[in-house]
């Protein structure tokens, strides 16, 4: 039986290489419209990842779709590519949304699916999706995205508290741009360059500490719960230890922190 960690590693390989697996049973599609990336995931009837697709994108900002045409075009292209590689036709999909957004904003996310010819099979809070992929029912999920840091408390698989503040990977890039006197896009590329990790972490450490402080304020009365760190902007090797120092408790981060939310969006929950 695959573990959550092995399934996540398998999905990450599929996304990065374009490889697919032969599905067993019906295939379900999940769509994650992130601030920095759009990721599609496909799982089979056993919730095994069978394929994925992604593209860097800025169609969402602070939990709001700001580029409608860009979002629809990107999802349609990724859907068609993934369907072609799997040899299936997708007629519906689950979609992830930021926790706590109003129904009107959530409707925009499902409208993107409908504009691509996909029925919205389920609308999933992002922390619930991440927790599903991690096999977690009770815990604190800290999601460090490109635009915001979200902190969600889950008990019995339900979000009981959610905090979202505008400090994310975008702000790291602004710090690098200002500190090194370079253009934003150049700083963004530098941030992703493994060979420059030492320089980058030295400059963005205060930003990571601010993110950890957001989490600490939101979870002072949740000491009994384990803490999980996800999101592409938490990918720096030192991120877990920085959060641990501020929170004063262990922090677990998967090897591929960008991918729990899209994979968990596609996965069937017990009620399905």
């Amino acid at each position: 039986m695959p573990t959550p960690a092995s399934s996540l590693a398998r999905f990450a390989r599929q996304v990065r290489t374009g490889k697919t697996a032969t599905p067993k049973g019906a295939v379900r599609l999940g769509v994650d419209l992130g601030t920095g990336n759009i990721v599609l995931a496909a799982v089979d009837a056993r919730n095994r990842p069978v394929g994925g697709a992604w593209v860097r994108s800025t169609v969402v900002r602070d939990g709001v779709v700001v580029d409608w045409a860009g979002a629809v075009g990107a999802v349609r292209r990724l859907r068609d590519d993934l369907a072609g590689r799997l040899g299936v036709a997708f007629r519906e999909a689950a979609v992830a949304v930021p926790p706590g957004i109003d129904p009107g904003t959530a409707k925009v996310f499902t409208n993107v699916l409908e504009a691509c010819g996909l029925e919205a099979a389920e609308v999933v809070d992002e922390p619930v999706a991440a927790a599903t992929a991690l096999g977690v029912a009770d815990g604190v999920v800290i999601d460090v995205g490109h635009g915001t840091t979200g902190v969600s408390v889950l008990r019995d698989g339900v979000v009981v508290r959610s905090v979202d503040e505008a400090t994310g990977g975008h702000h790291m890039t602004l710090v690098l741009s200002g500190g090194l006197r370079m253009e934003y896009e150049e700083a963004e590329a530098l941030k992703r360059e493994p060979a420059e990790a030492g320089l980058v972490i030295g400059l963005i450490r205060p930003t990571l500490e601010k993110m950890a402080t957001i989490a600490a304020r939101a979870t002072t009365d949740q000491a009994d719960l384990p803490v999980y760190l996800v999101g592409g902007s938490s990918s720096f090797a030192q991120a877990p230890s920085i959060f641990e120092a501020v929170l004063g408790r262990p922090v677990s981060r998967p090897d591929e922190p960008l991918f729990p939310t899209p994979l968990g969006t596609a996965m069937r929950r017990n009620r399905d």
Side-chain angles (χ1 to χ4, degrees):
M1 183 72 178
T3 65
S6 66
S7 291
L8 186 57
R10 174 182 174 140
F11 175 62
R13 287 194 300 272
Q14 290 169 347
V15 174
R16 297 186 190 283
T17 64
K19 294 182 179 179
T20 59
T22 302
K24 295 184 178 180
V27 179
R28 174 161 143 137
L29 182 66
V31 177
D32 179 18
L33 293 169
T35 306
N37 302 276
I38 297 176
V39 187
L40 271 59
V43 302
D44 66 11
R46 298 183 181 181
N47 268 350
R48 297 182 316 132
V50 294
W54 73 332
V55 65
R56 299 201 189 281
S57 178
T58 56
V59 300
V60 174
R61 186 179 305 139
D62 297 333
V64 178
V65 177
V66 295
D67 180 358
W68 168 263
V72 171
V75 171
R76 184 180 288 129
R77 287 191 296 274
L78 293 173
R79 184 272 315 272
D80 291 347
D81 170 62
L82 184 55
R85 285 187 280 122
L86 284 169
V88 300
F90 293 115
R91 295 181 175 84
E92 63 178 28
V95 64
V97 299
I101 64 173
D102 62 83
T105 303
K107 178 63 175 171
V108 176
F109 284 77
T110 60
N111 285 346
V112 169
L113 298 187
E114 291 168 4
C116 296
L118 295 167
E119 180 182 346
E122 185 182 9
V123 177
V124 191
D125 281 352
E126 290 170 352
V128 173
T132 300
L134 297 173
V136 172
D138 300 284
V140 174
V141 177
I142 305 170
D143 187 353
V144 183
H146 189 66
T148 64
T149 293
V151 184
S152 297
V153 178
L154 290 94
R155 292 190 181 273
D156 295 324
V158 176
V159 176
V160 297
R161 178 182 302 165
S162 182
V163 174
D164 202 49
E165 294 194 20
T167 303
H170 166 67
H171 302 84
M172 296 176 183
T173 305
L174 290 176
V175 168
L176 293 173
S177 177
L180 299 174
R181 298 183 179 181
M182 60 175 56
E183 294 297 321
Y184 181 91
E185 292 303 326
E186 186 180 359
E188 182 70 16
L190 178 75
K191 186 179 71 176
R192 300 174 186 274
E193 178 52 59
E196 301 293 346
L199 170 65
V200 170
I201 198 67
L203 289 168
I204 68 168
R205 179 180 290 271
T207 308
L208 282 166
E209 290 172 342
K210 180 180 178 182
M211 296 169 178
T213 301
I214 293 169
R217 288 199 305 263
T219 58
T220 53
D221 58 345
Q222 307 293 329
D224 62 309
L225 294 176
V227 180
Y228 301 91
L229 185 62
V230 301
S233 294
S234 72
S235 298
F236 300 97
Q238 298 88 343
S241 62
I242 291 172
F243 273 76
E244 287 178 344
V246 174
L247 291 169
R249 57 202 287 197
V251 174
S252 175
R253 186 195 63 187
D255 291 337
E256 295 280 1
L258 173 62
F259 295 121
T261 298
L263 177 58
T265 300
M267 293 173 70
R268 295 164 177 83
R269 275 147 281 280
N270 289 336
R271 63 178 178 273
D272 288 354

